[in-house]
């Protein structure tokens, strides 16, 4: 039997399985037909990678809490710009400069120990422990160092630490260093006013604008123009420093005020400080003695007592007062430092600085009348100016006749010297009490809120007795009677209160001067704290031997700067009313 050959159908076996490696090897073999696939895959991978990175960057920019904190911090610092402060002539007293500060975002710093090590290497004044504690927090923003130099910025930048960056800031600078330090005050590292005019600027709404988020630059703010004359300020400070050294005083202070506008032209209190680095501003010896200190003003207060007596109508320029012996009150006896032991006229009471005479004047007015007059003259309340720092007067809790007697000659009532200066200005400017200001203003503006506190006739009498005190050989103001400027004035020496008792060997001396006496433009005040008797003072340390001559030096130096030319011929009939009344001492 023939058999047909049988065909055996053999199933084809499947190709062997290939792994990823084999596909990758095949793909990257250098074959022309595979090149398109390779390029497409590579492009796809890179596109995916850049998409992920870009998405993350967008997320960080839009939603990152860290970035928001940095942005808020930057906005806050930029908005803390301050207006320039200029003197009455437009010279810069305070301004902003741009600085850079280093910040860190602790959440974005991977190796914090390394960051601390690197940062302290280029910024060696950093405290490593403090910095490490800052970086170990979970905060999104911390300061590393404020206000670095350009060189330090470059060194930190070269470190390339992720999470460390820079922010621009405004730094307050005072190009004249100590000049007018107690007037200007200073701003802290956050550019917030801490004292003086700087604090006043913030109180006028600058901090409210910053807090509301307004992005203010210095160019948006009008400069604040002060009444201070920088040239006069420098001269006053220099003369006070010389006087302080010569008379070995513990401290000294001085001020010059325009009697017609109340503008403070210069104010110095030594020792002072540099507002660019105010580390010692809070030391007790560096206070502003004119505003913050309160003192018994000694015999300079007799000017107020004489003015009170004359203005009352009870006494006149030719009234007489018995100074032949001490004035007894209970177990106390009031005597004169240089007793005349005779009856004195009103001008003589002033030029001999008679405690007895002024005490009798005050007793004649009475306790309530005396208090009312001093209150009217602004001596019993706090003096408020643009400077936030001011002190309350120290008033006797029980004010009786004995208090009136001693306050009449400057003991028993302590006031801020600037408010005493304000009162003296009113005594000589026609009787108008004008509150002092540290901002530039004209006479019309100054007199809008001023009070007429004395009769013009009383003001002329006070100008006359102050001039007499400088021109008469018996007067105590002769040491400040600089030729050509028709100076008038009054000295004052008060024993300092130490541990509740008056010290016999520690004095506060004062001198108040007016220039020129016939038509005053400026009033000068000099204070010396614990001056010593030195060669040429014959063992004396009273005001006529120290505060007086220092004031004279100031007047001679600054009068030309203030536009007061010397007059070598005395004015004709400078005090017409006193001439008609034939006042004692009139020529």
């Amino acid at each position: 039997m023939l058999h047909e050959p049988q065909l055996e159908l053999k199933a084809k076996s499947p190709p062997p399985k290939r792994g990823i490696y084999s596909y990758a090897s095949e793909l990257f073999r250098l074959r022309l037909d595979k090149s398109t696939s390779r390029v497409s895959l590579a492009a796809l991978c890179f596109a995916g990678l850049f998409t992920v990175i870009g998405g993350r960057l967008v997320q960080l920019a839009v939603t990152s809490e860290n970035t928001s904190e940095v942005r808020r911090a930057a906005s806050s610092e930029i908005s803390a710009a301050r207006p320039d402060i200029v003197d009455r002539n437009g010279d810069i007293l305070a301004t902003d400069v741009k600085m850079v500060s280093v910040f860190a975002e602790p959440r974005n710093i991977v190796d914090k120990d390394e960051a601390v090590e690197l940062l302290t290497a280029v910024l060696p004044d950093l405290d490593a422990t403090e910095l490490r504690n800052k970086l170990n927090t979970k905060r999104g923003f911390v300061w590393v160092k404020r206000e670095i130099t350009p060189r330090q910025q470059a060194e930190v930048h070269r470190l390339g630490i992720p999470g460390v960056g820079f922010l621009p800031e405004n730094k307050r600078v005072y190009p004249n260093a100590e000049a007018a330090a107690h007037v200007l005050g200073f701003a802290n590292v956050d550019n917030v006013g801490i004292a003086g005019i700087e604090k006043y600027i913030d109180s006028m709404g600058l901090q409210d604008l910053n807090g509301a988020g307004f992005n203010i630059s210095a160019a948006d703010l009008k400069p604040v123009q002060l009444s201070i004359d920088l040239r006069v300020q420098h001269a006053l400070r220099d003369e006070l420093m010389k006087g302080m050294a010569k008379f070995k005083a513990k401290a000294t202070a001085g001020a010059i005020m325009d009697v017609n506008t109340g503008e403070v032209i210069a104010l110095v209190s030594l020792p002072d400080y540099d507002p660019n680095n105010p580390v010692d501003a809070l030391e007790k010896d560096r206070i502003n003695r004119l505003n913050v200190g309160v003192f018994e003003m000694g015999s300079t207060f007799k000017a107020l007592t004489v003015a009170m007596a004359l203005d009352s109508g009870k006494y006149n320029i030719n009234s007489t007062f018995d100074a032949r012996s001490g004035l007894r009150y209970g177990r106390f006896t009031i005597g004169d430092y240089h007793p005349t032991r005779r009856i004195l006229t009103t001008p003589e009471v002033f030029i001999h600085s008679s405690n007895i005479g002024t005490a009798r004047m005050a007793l004649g007015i009475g306790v309530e009348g005396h208090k009312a007059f001093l209150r009217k003259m602004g001596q019993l309340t706090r003096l408020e100016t643009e400077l936030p720092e001011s002190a309350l007067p120290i008033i006797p809790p029980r004010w009786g006749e004995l208090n009136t007697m001693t306050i009449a000659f400057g003991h028993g009532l302590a006031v801020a010297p600037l408010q005493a200066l304000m009162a003296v200005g009113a005594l000589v400017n026609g009787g108008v009490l004008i509150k002092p200001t540290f901002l530039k203003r004209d006479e019309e503006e100054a007199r809008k809120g001023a009070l007429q506190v004395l009769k013009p006739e009383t003001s002329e009498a006070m100008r006359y007795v102050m001039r007499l005190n400088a021109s008469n050989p018996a007067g105590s103001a002769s040491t400040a009677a600089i030729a050509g400027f028709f100076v008038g004035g009054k000295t004052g020496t008060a024993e300092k209160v130490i541990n509740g008792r008056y010290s016999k060997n520690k004095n506060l001396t004062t001198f108040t001067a007016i220039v020129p006496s016939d038509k005053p433009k400026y009033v000068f005040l000099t204070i010396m704290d614990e001056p010593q008797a030195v060669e040429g003072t014959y063992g004396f340390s009273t005001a006529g031997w120290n505060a007086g001559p220092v004031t004279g030096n100031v007047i001679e130096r600054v009068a030309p700067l203030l536009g007061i030319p010397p007059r070598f011929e005395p004015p004709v009939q400078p005090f017409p009313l006193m001439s008609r009344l034939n006042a004692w001492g009139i020529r």
Side-chain angles (χ1 to χ4, degrees):
M1 176 180 278
L2 293 172
H3 295 282
E4 292 184 353
Q6 304 226 348
L7 296 173
E8 289 184 9
L9 295 175
K10 252 179 160 183
K12 230 174 173 185
S13 62
K17 290 184 179 179
R18 301 169 66 187
I20 295 175
Y21 176 76
S22 136
Y23 278 112
S25 299
E26 181 70 15
L27 178 62
F28 287 98
R29 281 185 193 152
L30 296 177
R31 287 175 52 186
L32 187 61
D33 60 339
K34 297 290 186 180
S35 61
T36 302
S37 300
R38 288 199 301 269
V39 172
S40 299
L41 182 59
L44 184 63
C45 291
F46 279 110
L49 179 61
F50 281 114
T51 300
V52 171
I53 293 173
R56 179 57 177 164
L57 289 175
V58 171
Q59 181 187 11
L60 288 172
V62 175
T63 65
S64 170
E65 182 182 349
N66 298 349
T67 304
S68 297
E69 288 191 45
V70 173
R71 188 160 55 247
R72 283 196 300 270
S75 174
S76 173
E77 293 304 333
I78 293 169
S79 67
R82 305 182 66 79
D84 287 348
I85 302 176
V86 299
D87 83 334
R88 66 187 302 106
N89 303 310
D91 292 328
I92 292 287
L93 298 175
T95 190
D96 280 355
V97 297
K98 289 295 183 183
M99 299 290 289
V100 170
S101 294
V102 187
F103 73 90
E105 301 170 87
R107 297 171 185 170
N108 293 336
I109 297 177
V110 178
D111 192 334
K112 295 174 181 178
D113 289 331
E114 181 188 31
V116 169
E117 184 178 346
L118 293 173
L119 288 169
T120 53
V122 297
L123 303 171
D125 54 338
L126 286 178
D127 185 300
T129 303
E130 183 181 345
L131 180 58
R132 185 174 287 105
N133 291 338
K134 284 182 179 179
L135 298 185
N136 280 328
T137 64
K138 294 183 178 180
R139 295 171 60 191
F141 178 91
V142 295
W143 286 116
V144 174
K145 182 173 173 58
R146 309 290 289 274
E147 299 170 0
I148 62 172
T149 66
R151 180 176 179 178
Q152 289 173 325
Q153 181 184 5
E155 290 175 346
V156 173
H157 185 266
R158 277 196 294 268
L159 296 177
I161 305 172
V164 173
F166 306 98
L167 278 179
E169 289 199 273
N170 295 300
K171 176 180 172 61
R172 200 63 161 169
V173 295
Y174 305 88
N176 300 288
E178 294 88 353
H182 286 104
V183 176
L184 295 171
F186 57 93
N188 66 10
V189 71
D190 293 312
N191 234 22
V192 174
I194 298 300
I197 290 295
E198 293 285 25
K199 189 172 183 179
Y200 164 76
I201 290 171
D202 286 358
S203 73
M204 297 305 290
L206 180 63
Q207 284 304 308
D208 293 337
L209 290 174
N210 291 333
F214 287 92
N215 190 10
I216 303 170
S217 69
D220 299 323
L221 300 168
K222 182 181 178 182
V224 176
Q225 188 166 35
L226 303 188
S227 58
I228 297 294
D229 187 318
L230 184 58
R231 304 166 305 164
V232 178
Q233 181 76 24
H234 275 298
L236 175 61
R237 184 175 186 274
D238 186 52
E239 292 300 331
L240 289 178
M241 286 187 71
K242 291 175 182 175
M244 185 174 169
K246 179 177 179 179
F247 297 106
K248 302 176 182 177
K250 175 183 175 183
T252 186
I256 303 170
M257 189 183 77
D258 186 318
V259 301
N260 298 310
T261 65
E263 294 171 297
V264 178
I265 306 300
L267 182 148
V268 176
S269 182
L270 299 175
D272 51 14
Y273 62 91
D274 184 349
N276 292 298
N277 185 30
V279 291
D280 49 6
L282 297 179
E283 291 182 12
K284 63 179 182 179
D285 283 340
R286 298 179 190 271
I287 65 168
N288 178 358
R289 284 170 170 75
L290 279 302
N291 255 49
V292 178
V294 289
F295 306 98
E296 293 184 356
M297 297 299 290
S299 294
T300 54
F301 235 58
K302 289 172 182 170
L304 294 180
T305 306
V306 172
M308 173 183 69
L310 294 174
D311 207 60
S312 70
K314 188 170 184 177
Y315 304 101
N316 60 49
I317 198 69
N318 293 315
S319 296
T320 57
F321 302 87
D322 189 353
R324 289 174 294 182
S325 60
L327 180 60
R328 293 189 61 84
Y329 188 90
R331 61 189 180 91
F332 299 99
T333 300
I334 292 172
D336 287 340
Y337 185 70
H338 293 295
T340 57
R341 295 187 173 87
R342 61 184 177 85
I343 293 175
L344 303 174
T345 62
T346 300
E348 287 180 296
V349 168
F350 192 84
I351 69 171
H352 289 291
S353 199
S354 173
N355 296 339
I356 299 169
T358 48
R360 289 191 185 280
M361 289 179 185
L363 282 176
I365 301 301
V367 172
E368 293 307 315
H370 190 203
K371 288 166 67 174
F373 179 80
L374 292 178
R375 185 175 294 108
K376 179 175 68 171
M377 299 301 290
Q379 302 305 292
L380 302 185
T381 56
R382 186 195 303 271
L383 173 65
E384 295 182 356
T385 66
E386 294 83 9
L387 300 189
E389 305 82 19
S390 60
L392 276 169
I394 300 176
I395 303 169
R398 296 179 181 177
W399 190 324
E401 284 191 337
L402 183 60
N403 300 103
T404 276
M405 293 165 69
T406 61
I407 290 171
F409 53 83
H411 292 266
L413 173 66
V415 300
L418 190 60
Q419 68 186 127
L421 194 66
M422 170 185 69
V424 174
L427 299 186
V428 301
N429 71 359
V432 181
L433 187 70
I434 301 174
K435 184 184 291 188
T437 182
F438 291 89
L439 301 178
K440 188 176 181 180
R441 70 182 177 195
D442 57 27
E443 187 172 344
E444 182 182 355
E445 183 183 358
R447 295 198 174 231
K448 283 180 182 176
L451 297 174
Q452 186 78 37
V453 291
L454 294 174
K455 300 168 189 171
E457 298 82 359
T458 303
S459 182
E460 181 183 320
M462 293 311 301
R463 296 195 296 271
Y464 169 69
V465 296
M466 291 183 82
R467 172 57 188 167
L468 195 63
N469 196 37
S471 61
N472 190 291
S476 60
S478 59
T479 53
I482 303 302
F485 294 108
F486 210 59
V487 178
K490 184 71 186 81
T491 56
T493 302
E495 295 172 344
K496 290 182 67 175
V497 177
I498 308 294
N499 298 323
R501 293 179 176 274
Y502 285 105
S503 172
K504 295 296 182 184
N505 56 5
K506 293 184 178 181
N507 293 333
L508 184 90
T509 64
T510 57
F511 191 94
T512 307
I514 58 171
V515 179
S517 296
D518 57 325
K519 193 175 181 181
K521 292 184 178 180
Y522 299 98
V523 59
F524 295 71
L525 174 66
T526 300
I527 299 173
M528 306 208 79
D529 192 349
E530 298 183 23
Q532 305 300 307
V534 297
E535 184 179 356
T537 66
Y538 306 99
F540 294 103
S541 61
T542 48
W545 295 97
N546 44 65
V550 169
T551 307
N553 293 339
V554 171
I555 292 171
E556 187 172 27
R557 184 166 171 181
V558 309
L561 298 175
L562 294 171
I564 306 175
R567 296 179 296 177
F568 296 105
E569 292 295 329
V572 178
Q573 287 285 1
F575 309 107
L577 178 61
M578 297 298 101
S579 296
R580 290 199 301 272
L581 295 174
N582 195 29
W584 184 93
I586 202 77
R587 294 176 183 175

